[in-house]
Amino acid sequence: MTAIAIDGPAGAGKSTIARALAQKLGYLYLDTGALYRAIGLYCVERGVPTGDKAAVTAALDSIDVALRYVDGAQRVLLNGEDVSEAIRRPEISLAASAVSAMDTVRAFLLDLQRDMARTHDVVMDGRDIGTVVLPDARVKIFLTASLEERTRRRQAEYAAKGEERDFDELLREMDQRDRQDRTRAVAPLRRAEDAVELDSTSLSADEVLAAIESILKEKA
Ligand code: DC
């Protein structure tokens, strides 16, 4: 099985690129952020404080997270319920980031991610895929963009769903989340030593894809 790891901060374009690349290669696309979001959603809905490790860890006993693919698109099941849309709510982003800093939560989700890569060719995106989840991935990409550009892209995504988000507020939220993801003790967001860093600030999605495809060719 072949794995391609794409890590980077929020809004760098990971999911757009990973999805398109997976489709081109005929691989499975796995958005690992969705798994942390499912746990964040559970906590928000059940009133489990996302800053309380003991409470979140205890809640894991009542949580089952599973993935399903419908027409090639990933769906996330939380205790059997499809929560693929609910996990995209703005307040779930910070909740996901908070619970993702806990080693218990990361351990809880590790086997699911590795099992998918054991049984399928995958393009997996996240924060620690190249460093922790799949250290032997064939190709590792660390995708970045300036905070302003990432905020613009995220704002456009919300707008496409009919949701208006204030630019400055969204920028602060993304900055806070990245800081949290970069500075946590367990599996922080960072470039793996053998990852190729791509700054997508002034690149189109097609240009990023072309760059990754030429990296793939070089490695083949
Ligand atoms: O990719 P995303 O924005 O949907 O991820 C939501 C949060 O989940 C992110 O702020 C940090 C966490 N996350 C993580 O810690 N490790 C991953 N591999 C993916 C996401």
Side-chain angles (χ1 to χ4, degrees):
M1 293 289 124
T2 303
I4 298 172
I6 303 185
D7 290 301
K14 299 185 301 290
S15 62
T16 305
I17 298 302
R19 187 179 295 111
L21 188 64
Q23 194 166 21
K24 275 196 164 180
L25 298 171
Y27 288 12
L28 207 63
Y29 164 50
L30 206 161
D31 160 18
T32 62
L35 305 172
Y36 294 92
R37 285 172 179 271
I39 294 179
L41 176 70
Y42 180 94
C43 292
V44 168
E45 287 191 335
R46 303 295 177 105
V48 179
T50 54
D52 182 340
K53 183 177 166 187
V56 173
T57 303
L60 293 176
D61 285 340
S62 320
I63 297 179
D64 176 57
V65 178
L67 292 174
R68 197 171 61 185
Y69 285 83
V70 179
D71 296 332
Q74 172 182 307
R75 310 296 299 179
V76 185
L77 305 184
L78 173 61
N79 293 334
E81 185 193 344
D82 189 331
V83 294
S84 309
E85 273 80 39
I87 57 170
R88 300 295 156 196
R89 295 206 308 261
E91 76 271 22
I92 305 306
S93 299
L94 278 173
S97 176
V99 300
S100 77
M102 298 167 186
D103 55 355
T104 45
V105 170
R106 305 202 72 83
F108 180 78
L109 294 174
L110 191 58
D111 286 348
L112 169 59
Q113 298 170 77
R114 287 192 175 151
D115 284 348
M116 291 300 281
R118 229 191 321 271
T119 49
H120 302 81
D121 292 323
V122 289
V123 180
M124 212 180 270
D125 83 19
R127 303 294 186 287
D128 65 332
I129 308 307
T131 51
V132 175
V133 179
L134 304 175
D136 298 327
R138 166 84 56 86
V139 171
K140 300 178 185 179
I141 306 292
F142 195 72
L143 193 61
T144 63
S146 71
L147 177 60
E148 286 72 20
E149 176 61 20
R150 293 188 287 112
T151 305
R152 264 192 293 279
R153 291 177 189 169
R154 197 39 66 85
Q155 194 185 31
E157 276 172 27
Y158 278 118
K161 289 192 284 184
E163 292 172 46
E164 291 307 318
R165 293 294 310 274
D166 178 71
F167 186 86
D168 292 334
E169 188 190 291
L170 189 56
L171 182 138
R172 275 194 300 275
E173 188 185 294
M174 305 248 301
D175 190 37
Q176 182 190 346
R177 192 145 72 93
D178 286 341
R179 216 181 295 256
Q180 215 161 266
D181 295 344
R182 281 181 200 281
T183 57
R184 66 184 179 217
V186 207
L189 166 64
R190 66 174 180 84
R191 184 177 73 81
E193 269 169 31
D194 51 350
V196 178
E197 182 158 350
L198 270 178
D199 182 344
S200 74
T201 305
S202 52
L203 299 179
S204 68
D206 281 344
E207 288 170 323
V208 175
L209 261 181
I212 295 180
E213 283 178 310
S214 73
I215 293 165
L216 282 174
K217 274 199 199 103
E218 270 168 38
K219 298 252 176 188

